[in-house]
Structures are given as structure tokens and as C-alpha cells.
Amino acid sequence: DAGITQSPRHKVTETGTPVTLRCHQTENHRYMYWYRQDPGHGLRLIHYSYGVKDTDKGEVSDGYSVSRSKTEDFLLTLESATSSQTSVYFCAIRGGASGQDGELFFGEGSRLTVL
Amino acid sequence: AQSVSQHNHHVILSEAASLELGCNYSYGGTVNLFWYVQYPGQHLQLLLKYFSGDPLVKGIKGFEAEFIKSKFSFNLRKPSVQWSDTAEYFCAVDTSGTYKYIFGTGTRLKVLA
């Protein structure tokens, strides 16, 4: 158990509404990631963070923003949800306090449906 | 920007057959390479990783992978698959220093008993 919790685990929302997903870790890891998983696309990196207030874009960052105001929390916000953002979202942390381990540990996932 | 390609999207094998799944990446600098497996309804689980040193790496469950730098490849192999190897396999690359971690689109393996 890597001490990662995601909330909410399931959410249904309407097009145009903002949505925030939260990832919380208990082990003081420096590197945190947000992915979306869709059939046929594998996991696509949305944003990642390499420290408090240090974030960078991934492969599919349009329509998403992130914030990391403290080590343990990494928030993903869909500014105005669209149906194309219906997906399962996974948060991950990189093993080792400084990320030296390399292995990613994943949260349980947040299933988002945008109607 | 780095990218990862897995050309085999679906593979069907009989038990005891040998397995090789292809993974190619594009990036001009130093990379770290990984293979993960995802069993139905479960998280991704690390099979093996390559950072440096011997380009032939051995992982869990009898899997191994070979890094061929000149071909930008990191193919996954297993000499004899089992029914329990039915899963989806993902190759991943991250760049040393930035730790931007990119996955391929995955290969669904079905092993027939």
C-alpha cells in the first residue's frame, strides 16, 4: 500500500461544469502524476509535479489544470468539463522520496462521466 | 518530446508459447525504461525496469527485456507463457532528470489454455 487516496472515486457531471479531483499521499513523495486511461490509448499523462508549486504539462494537458500547494496533495481541475473528458483518472507517485526508485504507484482511480 | 510506441495491440498465444512484445521510444537523451502489467480490474504492476548497466534485465514472473540503444527499443520477452499471463502490458519511458513518465498504448495479451 503506497498510501495514495483519490477522491471522488466516481463522479457524474454535466458538460460545462468545473470538476476537481484530489490525490492525497501520506509518504512525502516528491513526484506526483495525473493520467487518464481510455481504451486503445493506454495511460496518457495529463500533468505532473516535481515539488510543491512545481508542475509541468504532459501529453494531454489542454482543458486541465493542476495545483500542488503542499507535498501531500495534488489536485486536478477540469475547468469546463466536456464529454471527451469522460475517462478513468489515475494519480501516481514515483517511488523513493526523491523519485530515485522509478516505480510508479497508482491510486484506485476516479471514474468521471461527463453528460 | 518523448514518445513510446507499442506496435502489437492484441496478441493471442497458446500456453507454453514464447512471447515477445515490442516497444520503441523516441527521445534524444538519457531515458529510464519500464514494463508494467495490468491484470483485469487491478492496478498497474511493475514487471521490470532499466536505468543503466546490463541491457538485459530480468523481472518478476519470468519476464525479461533487452534495451537496444541503437534501435531505441526495449522489447519484453518470456520463454513460455501461462494462462495467468493474460493481461495488458505497458511499456513506459521517463527522461532522466525531468522524470516525465510516458506510457505506450498497451498490448492486450490473451493466453489460451
Side-chain angles (χ1 to χ4, degrees), chain A residues 13-30:
Chain A
T13 191
E14 294 186 349
T15 298
T17 59
V19 175
T20 295
L21 305 180
R22 179 181 183 238
C23 178
H24 178 79
Q25 59 141 328
T26 59
E27 300 186 3
N28 203 35
H29 291 277
R30 178 179 174 187

Side-chain angles (χ1 to χ4, degrees), chain B residues 18-63:
Chain B
S18 63
L19 171 72
E20 181 160 2
L21 300 182
C23 173
N24 289 90
Y25 69 93
S26 65
Y27 185 72
T30 303
V31 296
N32 303 312
L33 299 156
F34 308 85
W35 274 99
Y36 285 81
V37 60
Q38 187 176 33
Y39 299 103
Q42 295 187 23
H43 295 166
L44 271 73
Q45 176 183 0
L46 182 69
L47 282 175
L48 46 80
K49 61 185 177 184
Y50 173 80
F51 279 17
S52 63
D54 188 345
L56 183 62
V57 293
K58 295 190 183 299
I60 62 172
K61 303 178 188 287
F63 287 91

Side-chain angles (χ1 to χ4, degrees), chain B residues 88-110:
Chain B
E88 191 160 17
Y89 293 81
F90 294 93
C91 181
V93 172
D94 85 338
T95 55
S96 294
T98 66
Y99 290 164
K100 185 174 182 179
Y101 216 114
I102 302 294
F103 285 83
T105 53
T107 297
R108 287 188 181 274
L109 172 66
K110 183 170 185 176

Side-chain angles (χ1 to χ4, degrees), chain A residues 93-109:
Chain A
I93 59 174
R94 189 186 175 97
S98 299
Q100 70 275 12
D101 182 293
E103 180 175 358
L104 289 188
F105 297 91
F106 290 85
E108 298 287 331

Side-chain angles (χ1 to χ4, degrees), chain A residues 25 28-30 32 52 68-74:
Chain A
Q25 59 141 328
N28 203 35
H29 291 277
R30 178 179 174 187
M32 299 183 73
V52 173
R68 192 166 178 202
S69 58
K70 45 186 178 177
T71 300
E72 57 265 35
D73 288 325
F74 191 32

